[in-house]
Amino acid sequence: MPPKNLGPATFFTPAENPWPELFPPELPVWEGLRRLKEYLEGQSYTTLPESFRATAGPLAETLVYFREGESGDCRLLAGSECEINYLSPTKGQLEVRHRGQRLEGAGVLMAGTVLMGRQIQLGRGVLVEAGAFLKGPLVIGDQSEIRQGAYLRGHCLIGSRCVVGHVTEVKNSIFMNDAKAGHFAYIGDSILGPESNLGAGTKLANLRFLGGSVQIRHESGSIDSGLKKLGAILGSGCQTGCNSVTNPGTLLGKGCFLLPNTTAPTGYHSANTVIRP
């Protein structure tokens, strides 16, 4: 068993886990963060055609990307040549038509998006809004939404139907399917479980003032994570209120609530805990 029973099953079920190779059941859940860099470096990154050279400059025009068939080569079209319905991508409502024909699974990169590096993989039906900054290596799953001003700093793994919101910064982190951080959040070295949701202004702190590896407080003693940087791990269905903060090494079991304007103490909080001011 993982130390102090802090393995993946405490935070999400196997059926909810799209990346079992990141989360061995016999190891603590933060092993997923330790393995994240190697996993991302091993991806193929075939979303954008070779003719497209991602640079640090913003896109001059809106682009549509799509595949002709399930295994066809990726193509790019100018957004000006298409009819785009910008309704909610997470509900599968992003719709692109070209010359009257619907482009199944097409995604949209709005003008002003910045793509840094070639190691960027975009799923089907993804919308990236103007002003978002995407730095590889980065994987974004199907039907996810990257809103205006979002900053993905690299080594980010974003699942399907996720939201990275306006002025939200993410680095070295994992969003499992249906996780949402819609507004003004900081997510560093953290894992957002399935269907978790961060209220506006939530900050997941990841570095101790005094240095050293992050310790996980537990009822049976302190556990050394072995990580210098470790933010928060939220189990499935967790929610945080507006302007809440988690200390480094905060682990929230399934269904926990962190109330608004509240700082969660370091350590493991069992399922369905309500953390109050």
Side-chain angles (χ1 to χ4, degrees), residues 223-238:
I223 302 168
D224 186 351
S225 71
L227 298 173
K228 184 178 179 181
K229 292 185 178 181
L230 174 59
I233 298 173
L234 278 61
S236 58
C238 285

Side-chain angles (χ1 to χ4, degrees), residues 15-265:
E16 293 175 317
N17 178 14
W19 310 289
E21 61 269 50
L22 291 178
F23 298 99
E26 72 278 6
L27 295 178
V29 66
W30 56 84
E31 179 68 17
L33 295 172
R34 198 189 309 275
R35 296 180 174 215
L36 179 59
K37 181 176 181 179
E38 180 180 0
Y39 176 83
L40 290 172
E41 294 290 349
Q43 299 305 298
S44 59
Y45 301 103
T46 59
T47 299
L48 301 175
E50 286 297 322
S51 59
F52 180 82
R53 290 288 181 260
T55 69
L59 297 181
E61 62 177 336
T62 294
L63 297 176
V64 169
Y65 69 89
F66 68 102
R67 291 189 182 276
E68 295 180 307
E70 288 297 323
S71 58
D73 293 336
C74 188
R75 292 185 55 194
L76 289 175
L77 290 173
S80 58
E81 299 177 9
C82 302
E83 299 175 15
I84 304 174
N85 184 332
Y86 286 99
L87 292 178
S88 177
T90 60
K91 297 178 181 178
Q93 296 175 350
L94 179 67
E95 183 178 289
V96 180
R97 293 184 178 273
H98 181 242
R99 298 175 181 173
Q101 179 180 358
R102 179 169 180 171
L103 302 180
E104 295 293 337
V108 178
L109 302 169
M110 294 182 67
T113 295
V114 177
L115 303 176
M116 178 177 283
R118 292 288 302 169
Q119 293 180 300
I120 296 174
Q121 182 77 13
L122 306 172
R124 294 166 58 87
V126 170
L127 173 63
V128 181
E129 294 184 352
F133 190 109
L134 278 58
K135 181 180 179 181
L138 166 66
V139 172
I140 300 174
D142 296 347
Q143 299 179 13
S144 285
E145 181 178 355
I146 312 301
R147 293 179 180 167
Q148 188 271 337
Y151 180 24
L152 283 78
R153 286 174 47 192
H155 294 107
C156 297
L157 179 56
I158 310 297
S160 299
R161 300 174 301 279
C162 294
V163 173
V164 181
H166 173 64
V167 199
T168 289
E169 179 180 354
V170 188
K171 56 89 64 175
N172 199 61
S173 291
I174 299 170
F175 282 46
M176 305 192 84
N177 293 343
D178 302 291
K180 296 177 173 61
H183 320 275
F184 316 107
Y186 173 72
I187 299 129
D189 302 275
S190 297
I191 300 170
L192 302 190
E195 299 187 355
S196 58
N197 184 74
L198 303 188
T202 296
K203 305 295 187 288
L204 309 183
N206 61 341
L207 182 66
R208 299 178 69 232
F209 282 163
L210 301 179
S213 59
V214 175
Q215 307 295 310
I216 310 297
R217 294 178 183 172
H218 191 272
E219 60 184 7
S220 58
S222 181
I223 302 168
D224 186 351
S225 71
L227 298 173
K228 184 178 179 181
K229 292 185 178 181
L230 174 59
I233 298 173
L234 278 61
S236 58
C238 285
Q239 297 189 54
T240 70
C242 294
N243 296 321
S244 58
V245 177
T246 62
N247 274 295
T250 298
L251 279 61
L252 304 181
K254 300 171 186 176
C256 285
F257 287 172
L258 174 59
L259 296 188
N261 300 308
T262 303
T263 298

